[in-house]
Amino acid sequence: DVPCTGDGATRKLPNKWSNWHSRDGLSLHPLQLNILMRGINNLVDNGLLLYSTCSLSPIEDEAVVLEVLRRSKGL
């Protein structure tokens, strides 16, 4: 579970929206990407890696996974 904005936890933390801004995910994207790349580089052959956030933001989820696939020539 990488550091994230946690905007997916608003059902449990309703006050989360009062401090939320769309740029929050953009600021975390590079960190999330670095953590996921490090994890992939440390995998053993045929190893599994789970990428998880508490966010619903495509910037923190799909965009991170897409960039890792692009960098690892998985696309």
Side-chain angles (χ1 to χ4, degrees):
D1 197 12
V2 298
C4 69
T5 58
D7 61 10
T10 55
R11 66 180 174 79
K12 295 187 291 185
L13 306 167
N15 293 334
K16 186 79 174 159
W17 283 118
S18 63
N19 297 325
W20 182 87
H21 194 279
S22 58
R23 71 176 166 263
D24 296 342
L26 289 172
S27 66
L28 287 169
H29 179 85
L31 175 62
Q32 295 165 338
L33 182 58
N34 287 337
I35 291 170
L36 185 53
M37 287 299 297
R38 173 73 59 97
I40 287 173
N41 289 331
N42 287 320
L43 277 177
V44 297
D45 288 345
N46 297 315
L48 294 174
L49 183 136
L50 175 67
Y51 176 76
S52 172
T53 71
C54 296
S55 174
L56 299 174
S57 169
I59 299 295
E60 298 180 74
D61 298 330
E62 291 91 343
V64 172
V65 173
L66 183 64
E67 181 60 18
V68 165
L69 289 173
R70 188 189 68 75
R71 289 183 183 190
S72 63
K73 312 249 187 296
L75 286 181

